[in-house]
Coordinates of all heavy atoms in Angstrom, one line a residue:
M121 N 12.7 -10.0 0.6 CA 11.6 -10.2 -0.4 C 12.1 -9.3 -1.6 O 12.4 -8.1 -1.4 CB 10.3 -9.7 0.2 CG 9.2 -9.9 -0.9 SD 7.5 -9.8 -0.2 CE 7.8 -8.4 0.9
N122 N 11.8 -9.8 -2.7 CA 12.2 -8.9 -3.9 C 10.9 -8.2 -4.4 O 10.0 -8.7 -4.9 CB 12.6 -9.9 -5.0 CG 13.1 -9.2 -6.4 OD1 12.5 -8.2 -6.7 ND2 14.1 -9.7 -6.9
V123 N 11.0 -6.9 -4.1 CA 9.8 -6.0 -4.4 C 9.4 -6.0 -5.8 O 8.3 -6.3 -6.1 CB 10.0 -4.7 -3.8 CG1 8.9 -3.7 -4.2 CG2 10.0 -4.7 -2.3
P124 N 10.4 -5.7 -6.8 CA 9.9 -5.7 -8.2 C 9.1 -7.0 -8.6 O 8.2 -7.0 -9.2 CB 11.1 -5.4 -8.9 CG 12.1 -4.7 -7.9 CD 11.7 -5.2 -6.6
E125 N 9.8 -8.1 -8.1 CA 9.3 -9.4 -8.5 C 7.9 -9.6 -8.0 O 7.0 -10.1 -8.7 CB 10.3 -10.5 -8.0 CG 10.5 -11.6 -8.9 CD 11.7 -12.5 -8.4 OE1 11.5 -13.2 -7.4 OE2 12.7 -12.3 -9.1
A126 N 7.7 -9.2 -6.7 CA 6.4 -9.3 -6.1 C 5.4 -8.5 -6.8 O 4.3 -9.0 -7.0 CB 6.6 -9.1 -4.5
L127 N 5.9 -7.3 -7.1 CA 4.8 -6.4 -7.8 C 4.4 -6.9 -9.1 O 3.2 -6.9 -9.5 CB 5.5 -5.1 -8.1 CG 5.6 -4.1 -6.9 CD1 6.4 -2.9 -7.2 CD2 4.2 -3.7 -6.3
H128 N 5.3 -7.6 -9.9 CA 5.1 -8.2 -11.2 C 4.1 -9.3 -11.0 O 3.1 -9.4 -11.7 CB 6.3 -8.7 -11.8 CG 7.0 -7.5 -12.6 ND1 6.7 -7.2 -13.9 CD2 8.2 -6.9 -12.2 CE1 7.5 -6.3 -14.2 NE2 8.4 -6.0 -13.3
A129 N 4.4 -10.0 -9.9 CA 3.4 -11.3 -9.7 C 2.0 -10.8 -9.3 O 1.1 -11.4 -9.8 CB 4.1 -12.2 -8.6
I130 N 1.9 -9.8 -8.5 CA 0.7 -9.3 -8.0 C -0.1 -8.6 -9.2 O -1.3 -8.8 -9.4 CB 0.7 -8.4 -6.8 CG1 1.4 -9.2 -5.6 CG2 -0.7 -7.9 -6.3 CD1 1.8 -8.3 -4.4
A131 N 0.6 -7.8 -10.0 CA 0.0 -7.1 -11.1 C -0.5 -8.1 -12.0 O -1.6 -7.9 -12.7 CB 1.0 -6.2 -11.8
A132 N 0.0 -9.3 -12.3 CA -0.3 -10.2 -13.1 C -1.6 -10.9 -12.7 O -2.5 -11.3 -13.6 CB 0.7 -11.3 -13.3
T133 N -2.0 -10.8 -11.5 CA -3.2 -11.3 -11.1 C -4.4 -10.4 -11.3 O -5.6 -10.7 -11.4 CB -3.2 -11.7 -9.5 OG1 -3.3 -10.5 -8.8 CG2 -2.1 -12.6 -9.1
G134 N -4.0 -9.1 -11.5 CA -5.0 -8.0 -11.9 C -5.8 -7.5 -10.7 O -6.8 -6.8 -10.9
D135 N -5.5 -8.0 -9.4 CA -6.3 -7.4 -8.4 C -5.4 -7.1 -7.2 O -5.5 -7.6 -6.1 CB -7.4 -8.3 -7.9 CG -7.1 -9.7 -7.6 OD1 -5.9 -9.9 -7.5 OD2 -7.9 -10.5 -7.3
G136 N -4.5 -6.1 -7.4 CA -3.8 -5.6 -6.3 C -4.3 -4.2 -5.9 O -4.7 -3.4 -6.7
Y137 N -4.4 -4.1 -4.5 CA -5.0 -2.7 -4.0 C -4.1 -2.3 -3.0 O -3.5 -3.0 -2.1 CB -6.4 -2.9 -3.5 CG -7.4 -3.2 -4.7 CD1 -7.7 -4.6 -4.9 CD2 -8.0 -2.2 -5.4 CE1 -8.6 -4.8 -5.9 CE2 -8.8 -2.5 -6.3 CZ -9.2 -3.8 -6.6 OH -10.0 -4.1 -7.6
C138 N -3.9 -1.0 -2.8 CA -3.2 -0.4 -1.8 C -4.0 -0.8 -0.5 O -5.2 -0.6 -0.2 CB -3.1 1.2 -1.8 SG -2.4 2.0 -0.4
W139 N -3.1 -1.2 0.6 CA -3.7 -1.7 1.9 C -4.5 -0.6 2.4 O -5.4 -0.8 3.2 CB -2.5 -2.2 2.6 CG -2.8 -2.6 4.0 CD1 -2.5 -1.9 5.1 CD2 -3.5 -3.8 4.5 NE1 -3.0 -2.6 6.2 CE2 -3.5 -3.7 5.9 CE3 -4.0 -4.9 3.8 CZ2 -4.1 -4.7 6.6 CZ3 -4.6 -5.9 4.6 CH2 -4.6 -5.8 6.0
Y140 N -3.9 0.7 2.4 CA -4.4 1.8 3.1 C -5.6 2.5 2.4 O -6.6 2.9 3.0 CB -3.3 2.8 3.5 CG -2.2 2.1 4.4 CD1 -1.1 1.7 3.8 CD2 -2.5 1.9 5.6 CE1 0.0 1.3 4.6 CE2 -1.5 1.3 6.5 CZ -0.3 0.9 5.8 OH 0.7 0.4 6.6
C141 N -5.4 2.8 1.2 CA -6.4 3.7 0.5 C -7.1 3.0 -0.7 O -8.0 3.7 -1.4 CB -5.7 5.0 -0.1 SG -4.8 4.7 -1.4
D142 N -6.9 1.7 -0.9 CA -7.6 1.0 -1.9 C -7.5 1.4 -3.4 O -8.2 1.1 -4.2 CB -9.2 1.0 -1.6 CG -9.7 0.1 -0.6 OD1 -8.8 -0.8 -0.3 OD2 -10.8 0.2 0.0
R143 N -6.4 2.2 -3.5 CA -6.0 2.6 -4.9 C -5.7 1.2 -5.5 O -4.9 0.5 -5.0 CB -4.9 3.6 -4.9 CG -4.6 4.2 -6.2 CD -3.7 5.4 -5.9 NE -2.8 5.5 -7.2 CZ -1.7 6.2 -7.2 NH1 -1.1 6.7 -6.1 NH2 -1.0 6.2 -8.3
S144 N -5.9 1.2 -6.8 CA -5.7 -0.1 -7.5 C -4.2 -0.1 -8.1 O -3.8 1.0 -8.6 CB -6.7 -0.6 -8.5 OG -6.8 0.4 -9.5
L145 N -3.6 -1.2 -8.0 CA -2.2 -1.4 -8.6 C -2.3 -1.3 -10.1 O -3.2 -1.8 -10.6 CB -1.7 -2.7 -8.2 CG -0.2 -3.1 -8.5 CD1 0.8 -2.3 -7.6 CD2 0.0 -4.6 -8.4
P146 N -1.4 -0.5 -10.8 CA -1.4 -0.5 -12.2 C -1.4 -1.9 -12.7 O -0.6 -2.8 -12.1 CB -0.1 0.2 -12.6 CG 0.2 1.0 -11.4 CD -0.2 0.3 -10.1
G147 N -1.9 -2.2 -13.9 CA -2.0 -3.4 -14.5 C -0.7 -4.1 -14.9 O -0.6 -5.4 -14.8
A148 N 0.2 -3.3 -15.1 CA 1.6 -3.8 -15.5 C 2.6 -3.6 -14.4 O 2.6 -2.5 -13.7 CB 2.1 -2.9 -16.8
G149 N 3.2 -4.7 -14.1 CA 4.2 -4.7 -13.0 C 5.3 -3.6 -13.2 O 5.5 -3.0 -12.2
Q150 N 5.7 -3.4 -14.4 CA 6.7 -2.5 -14.7 C 6.3 -1.0 -14.3 O 7.0 -0.3 -13.7 CB 7.1 -2.5 -16.2 CG 8.4 -1.8 -16.5 CD 9.5 -2.2 -15.7 OE1 9.7 -3.5 -15.4 NE2 10.4 -1.3 -15.2
E151 N 5.0 -0.8 -14.6 CA 4.4 0.5 -14.3 C 4.4 0.8 -12.8 O 4.7 1.8 -12.3 CB 3.0 0.7 -14.8 CG 2.6 2.0 -15.2 CD 1.3 1.8 -15.9 OE1 1.1 1.1 -16.8 OE2 0.3 2.5 -15.4
A152 N 4.0 -0.3 -12.1 CA 3.9 -0.3 -10.7 C 5.3 0.1 -10.0 O 5.5 0.8 -9.0 CB 3.4 -1.6 -10.1
V153 N 6.4 -0.7 -10.5 CA 7.7 -0.5 -10.0 C 8.1 1.0 -10.3 O 8.6 1.6 -9.3 CB 8.6 -1.4 -10.8 CG1 10.1 -1.1 -10.3 CG2 8.4 -2.8 -10.4
Q154 N 7.8 1.5 -11.4 CA 8.2 2.9 -11.8 C 7.5 3.9 -10.9 O 8.1 4.9 -10.5 CB 8.1 3.1 -13.2 CG 9.1 2.6 -14.1 CD 8.7 2.6 -15.7 OE1 7.7 3.1 -16.0 NE2 9.6 2.0 -16.4
E155 N 6.2 3.7 -10.6 CA 5.6 4.6 -9.9 C 6.0 4.5 -8.4 O 5.7 5.4 -7.6 CB 4.0 4.2 -9.9 CG 3.3 4.7 -11.1 CD 1.8 4.7 -11.0 OE1 1.2 4.4 -9.9 OE2 1.1 4.6 -12.1
G156 N 6.6 3.4 -8.0 CA 7.2 3.4 -6.6 C 6.3 2.7 -5.6 O 6.3 2.9 -4.4
W157 N 5.5 1.8 -6.1 CA 4.6 0.9 -5.2 C 5.6 0.1 -4.3 O 6.7 -0.2 -4.8 CB 3.8 0.0 -5.9 CG 2.5 0.8 -6.5 CD1 2.5 1.7 -7.4 CD2 1.2 0.7 -6.0 NE1 1.2 2.2 -7.6 CE2 0.4 1.6 -6.8 CE3 0.5 -0.1 -5.0 CZ2 -0.9 1.7 -6.6 CZ3 -0.9 -0.1 -4.8 CH2 -1.6 0.9 -5.6
D158 N 5.2 -0.1 -3.2 CA 6.0 -1.0 -2.2 C 5.2 -2.2 -1.8 O 4.0 -2.2 -1.8 CB 6.4 -0.3 -1.1 CG 7.5 -0.8 -0.3 OD1 8.2 -1.7 -0.8 OD2 7.7 -0.4 0.9
V159 N 5.9 -3.3 -1.5 CA 5.4 -4.5 -1.0 C 5.9 -4.7 0.5 O 7.1 -4.8 0.5 CB 5.6 -5.7 -1.9 CG1 5.0 -7.0 -1.2 CG2 5.2 -5.5 -3.4
Q160 N 5.1 -4.9 1.4 CA 5.5 -5.1 2.7 C 4.9 -6.3 3.4 O 3.7 -6.7 3.0 CB 5.2 -3.8 3.6 CG 5.9 -2.6 3.1 CD 5.4 -1.3 3.9 OE1 4.5 -1.5 4.8 NE2 5.8 -0.3 3.4
R161 N 5.6 -6.9 4.3 CA 5.2 -8.1 4.9 C 4.5 -7.7 6.4 O 5.2 -7.0 7.1 CB 6.2 -9.0 5.2 CG 5.9 -10.5 5.2 CD 7.2 -11.3 5.5 NE 8.1 -11.3 4.3 CZ 7.9 -12.5 3.5 NH1 7.1 -13.3 3.7 NH2 8.6 -12.5 2.5
L162 N 3.4 -8.1 6.5 CA 2.6 -7.9 7.8 C 2.8 -9.1 8.6 O 2.2 -10.1 8.1 CB 1.3 -7.5 7.6 CG 0.8 -6.0 7.5 CD1 -0.7 -6.0 7.8 CD2 1.5 -5.1 8.4
P163 N 3.3 -9.1 9.8 CA 3.3 -10.4 10.6 C 1.8 -10.7 11.0 O 1.2 -9.9 11.6 CB 4.3 -10.1 11.7 CG 4.3 -8.5 11.8 CD 3.9 -8.0 10.5
G164 N 1.5 -11.9 10.7 CA 0.1 -12.2 11.1 C 0.1 -13.3 12.2 O 1.2 -13.6 12.6
E165 N -1.1 -13.8 12.6 CA -1.1 -14.6 13.7 C -0.6 -16.0 13.3 O 0.2 -16.6 14.0 CB -2.5 -14.8 14.2 CG -2.9 -13.7 15.0 CD -4.4 -13.7 15.6 OE1 -4.9 -14.9 15.5 OE2 -4.9 -12.8 16.0
R166 N -0.9 -16.5 12.1 CA -0.4 -17.8 11.6 C 0.5 -17.6 10.5 O 1.6 -18.1 10.4 CB -1.6 -18.6 11.2 CG -2.4 -19.1 12.4 CD -3.8 -19.4 11.9 NE -4.3 -20.4 12.7 CZ -5.2 -21.4 12.2 NH1 -5.5 -21.4 10.9 NH2 -5.8 -22.2 13.0
V167 N 0.0 -16.9 9.4 CA 0.9 -16.7 8.3 C 1.1 -15.2 8.1 O 0.2 -14.4 8.4 CB 0.2 -17.2 7.0 CG1 0.4 -18.7 7.0 CG2 -1.2 -16.7 6.9
A168 N 2.2 -14.8 7.6 CA 2.4 -13.3 7.3 C 1.7 -13.0 6.0 O 1.7 -13.8 5.2 CB 4.0 -13.1 7.2
S169 N 1.1 -11.8 6.1 CA 0.4 -11.5 4.9 C 1.2 -10.3 4.2 O 1.9 -9.7 4.8 CB -1.1 -11.0 5.1 OG -1.1 -10.2 6.2
I170 N 0.9 -10.3 2.8 CA 1.7 -9.3 2.1 C 0.8 -8.2 1.7 O -0.3 -8.5 1.3 CB 2.2 -10.0 0.8 CG1 3.3 -11.2 1.3 CG2 2.8 -9.1 -0.2 CD1 4.4 -11.3 0.4
I171 N 1.2 -7.0 2.0 CA 0.3 -5.8 1.6 C 1.1 -5.0 0.5 O 2.3 -4.9 0.5 CB 0.0 -5.0 2.9 CG1 1.2 -4.4 3.5 CG2 -0.8 -5.9 3.8 CD1 0.9 -3.4 4.5
L172 N 0.2 -4.3 -0.1 CA 0.7 -3.3 -1.1 C 0.5 -1.9 -0.6 O -0.4 -1.6 0.1 CB -0.1 -3.3 -2.4 CG 0.1 -4.7 -3.3 CD1 -1.0 -4.8 -4.3 CD2 1.4 -4.5 -3.9
V173 N 1.5 -1.0 -0.8 CA 1.3 0.4 -0.3 C 1.7 1.2 -1.6 O 2.7 1.2 -2.2 CB 2.4 0.7 0.8 CG1 2.1 2.1 1.3 CG2 2.2 -0.3 1.9
C174 N 0.7 2.1 -1.8 CA 1.0 3.0 -3.0 C 1.9 4.1 -2.7 O 2.1 4.4 -1.6 CB -0.4 3.5 -3.5 SG -1.0 4.9 -2.5
P175 N 2.4 4.8 -3.7 CA 3.3 5.8 -3.5 C 2.9 7.0 -2.6 O 3.6 7.5 -1.7 CB 3.8 6.4 -5.0 CG 3.2 5.3 -5.8 CD 2.2 4.6 -5.2
A176 N 1.6 7.3 -2.8 CA 1.1 8.5 -2.1 C 0.9 8.1 -0.6 O 1.3 9.0 0.3 CB -0.3 8.8 -2.6
C177 N 0.6 6.9 -0.2 CA 0.5 6.5 1.2 C 1.9 6.4 1.8 O 2.1 6.8 2.9 CB -0.1 5.2 1.3 SG -2.1 5.4 1.1
Q178 N 2.9 5.9 1.0 CA 4.3 5.9 1.6 C 4.7 7.2 1.9 O 5.4 7.5 3.0 CB 5.1 5.3 0.5 CG 5.0 3.8 0.3 CD 6.0 3.4 -0.8 OE1 7.1 3.5 -0.8 NE2 5.3 2.9 -1.9
R179 N 4.5 8.2 1.1 CA 5.0 9.6 1.3 C 4.2 10.2 2.5 O 4.9 10.8 3.3 CB 4.6 10.5 0.0 CG 5.4 11.8 0.0 CD 5.2 12.5 -1.3 NE 3.9 12.4 -1.7 CZ 3.4 12.0 -2.8 NH1 4.2 11.4 -3.7 NH2 2.1 12.0 -3.2
E180 N 3.0 10.0 2.7 CA 2.3 10.5 3.8 C 2.7 9.9 5.1 O 2.8 10.5 6.0 CB 0.7 10.2 3.6 CG 0.0 11.4 3.0 CD -1.5 11.3 3.0 OE1 -2.1 10.9 4.0 OE2 -2.1 11.3 1.9
K181 N 2.9 8.6 5.0 CA 3.4 7.8 6.1 C 4.8 8.3 6.6 O 5.0 8.5 7.9 CB 3.5 6.3 5.8 CG 3.3 5.5 7.1 CD 3.2 4.0 6.5 CE 3.5 3.1 7.7 NZ 3.5 1.7 7.4
R182 N 5.6 8.7 5.7 CA 6.9 9.2 6.0 C 6.8 10.5 6.6 O 7.5 10.9 7.6 CB 7.8 9.3 4.7 CG 9.1 8.8 5.0 CD 10.0 8.7 3.7 NE 9.5 9.4 2.5 CZ 9.2 8.8 1.4 NH1 9.4 7.5 1.4 NH2 8.8 9.5 0.3
E183 N 5.8 11.3 6.2 CA 5.8 12.8 6.6 C 5.1 12.9 7.9 O 5.5 13.7 8.8 CB 4.9 13.6 5.6 CG 5.8 14.0 4.3 CD 5.1 14.6 3.2 OE1 3.8 14.9 3.5 OE2 5.6 14.8 2.2
L184 N 4.0 12.1 8.1 CA 3.2 12.2 9.3 C 3.7 11.2 10.5 O 3.3 11.3 11.6 CB 1.8 11.8 9.0 CG 1.2 12.8 7.9 CD1 -0.2 12.2 7.5 CD2 1.1 14.3 8.3
G185 N 4.4 10.1 10.0 CA 4.7 9.2 11.1 C 3.6 8.1 11.1 O 2.4 8.4 10.7
E186 N 3.8 6.9 11.6 CA 2.8 5.9 11.6 C 1.5 6.3 12.2 O 0.4 6.2 11.6 CB 3.5 4.6 12.3 CG 2.5 3.6 12.4 CD 2.7 2.4 11.5 OE1 4.0 2.2 11.1 OE2 1.8 1.6 11.0
E187 N 1.6 6.9 13.4 CA 0.4 7.2 14.1 C -0.5 8.3 13.5 O -1.7 8.2 13.3 CB 0.8 7.7 15.5 CG -0.2 7.6 16.6 CD 0.2 7.8 17.9 OE1 1.2 7.3 18.4 OE2 -0.3 8.8 18.6
G188 N 0.3 9.4 13.1 CA -0.4 10.4 12.4 C -1.0 10.1 11.1 O -2.1 10.4 10.7
F189 N -0.3 9.2 10.3 CA -0.8 8.6 9.1 C -2.1 7.9 9.3 O -3.1 8.1 8.6 CB 0.3 7.9 8.4 CG -0.2 7.0 7.3 CD1 -0.5 7.8 6.1 CD2 -0.3 5.7 7.3 CE1 -0.9 7.2 4.9 CE2 -0.8 5.0 6.2 CZ -1.1 5.6 5.0
L190 N -2.1 7.0 10.3 CA -3.3 6.2 10.5 C -4.5 7.1 10.9 O -5.6 6.8 10.5 CB -3.0 5.1 11.4 CG -2.1 4.0 11.0 CD1 -1.8 3.1 12.0 CD2 -2.6 3.3 9.8
R191 N -4.2 8.1 11.7 CA -5.2 8.9 12.1 C -5.9 9.8 11.0 O -7.0 9.8 10.8 CB -4.7 10.0 13.2 CG -5.9 10.6 13.9 CD -5.3 11.3 15.2 NE -4.1 12.1 15.0 CZ -2.9 11.9 15.7 NH1 -3.0 11.2 16.7 NH2 -1.9 12.6 15.4
N192 N -4.9 10.3 10.2 CA -5.3 11.0 8.9 C -6.2 10.2 8.0 O -7.1 10.6 7.4 CB -4.0 11.5 8.4 CG -4.3 12.7 7.3 OD1 -5.1 13.6 7.7 ND2 -3.6 12.6 6.2
L193 N -5.7 8.9 7.9 CA -6.3 8.0 7.0 C -7.8 7.6 7.4 O -8.8 7.7 6.6 CB -5.5 6.7 7.0 CG -5.9 5.7 6.0 CD1 -5.4 6.2 4.6 CD2 -5.2 4.4 6.2
S194 N -7.9 7.5 8.7 CA -9.3 7.2 9.2 C -10.2 8.5 9.0 O -11.4 8.3 8.6 CB -9.3 6.8 10.7 OG -8.9 7.7 11.4
L195 N -9.7 9.6 9.1 CA -10.4 10.8 8.8 C -10.8 10.9 7.4 O -11.9 11.2 7.0 CB -9.6 12.1 9.2 CG -9.4 12.5 10.6 CD1 -8.5 13.7 10.8 CD2 -10.9 12.7 11.3
R196 N -9.8 10.6 6.6 CA -10.1 10.6 5.1 C -11.2 9.7 4.6 O -12.0 10.0 4.0 CB -8.8 10.4 4.3 CG -8.7 10.8 2.9 CD -7.3 10.9 2.4 NE -6.8 9.5 2.2 CZ -5.5 9.2 2.2 NH1 -4.7 10.2 2.2 NH2 -5.1 8.0 2.0
V197 N -11.0 8.5 5.2 CA -12.0 7.4 4.7 C -13.3 7.8 5.2 O -14.3 7.7 4.5 CB -11.6 6.1 5.4 CG1 -12.7 5.1 5.3 CG2 -10.3 5.6 4.8
C198 N -13.4 8.4 6.5 CA -14.7 8.8 7.0 C -15.3 9.9 6.1 O -16.4 9.9 5.8 CB -14.5 9.3 8.4 SG -16.1 9.6 9.2
N199 N -14.5 10.8 5.8 CA -15.0 12.0 4.9 C -15.5 11.5 3.6 O -16.5 12.2 3.2 CB -13.9 13.0 4.7 CG -13.6 13.8 5.8 OD1 -14.5 14.0 6.8 ND2 -12.5 14.5 5.9
S200 N -15.0 10.5 3.1 CA -15.4 10.2 1.7 C -16.6 9.1 1.8 O -17.4 9.0 0.8 CB -14.3 9.4 1.0 OG -14.0 8.3 1.6
T201 N -16.9 8.6 3.0 CA -18.1 7.7 3.0 C -19.2 8.2 3.8 O -20.3 7.7 3.6 CB -17.6 6.3 3.7 OG1 -17.0 6.7 4.9 CG2 -16.6 5.5 2.8
C202 N -19.0 9.1 4.7 CA -20.1 9.6 5.4 C -20.4 11.2 5.3 O -19.9 11.7 4.4 CB -20.0 9.3 6.9 SG -18.5 9.9 7.7
Ligands
ZN557 ZN1 -2.5 4.2 -0.8

């Protein structure tokens, strides 16, 4: 998959959000590419879905590992909503 191309396409729709933290994708595809947003493919039951990952979440995921990241994320979401 061509990430910059996908970012441009999603930015053009105006409603891209980080899969993990709901941060919104910059309105301009170029900006999203420069900030380091990533597009990943999640295998689904019938169709693969495409998710956006913001630069902050990518960094955390790299530092904490998948499991630690998800645990940390649920704590963070909980703290901000309850
Ligand atoms: Zn994020």
Side-chain angles (χ1 to χ4, degrees):
M121 182 168 46
N122 184 323
V123 170
E125 217 166 78
L127 284 173
H128 278 280
I130 298 166
T133 68
D135 57 5
Y137 295 92
C138 173
W139 173 257
Y140 298 107
C141 71
D142 279 345
R143 189 169 151 202
S144 58
L145 185 75
Q150 194 53 43
E151 209 175 309
V153 173
Q154 275 165 7
E155 281 189 17
W157 283 70
D158 194 18
V159 180
Q160 296 173 4
R161 207 185 282 269
L162 272 197
E165 285 183 14
R166 289 158 154 213
V167 284
S169 42
I170 293 213
I171 63 164
L172 289 164
V173 187
C174 76
C177 285
Q178 286 176 61
R179 195 169 48 238
E180 269 188 49
K181 202 170 164 186
R182 221 176 14 240
E183 281 170 9
L184 304 172
E186 176 104 31
E187 202 177 308
F189 170 69
L190 292 175
R191 192 165 46 228
N192 199 40
L193 190 73
S194 59
L195 284 175
R196 195 165 73 199
V197 169
C198 186
N199 282 340
S200 62
T201 52
C202 53

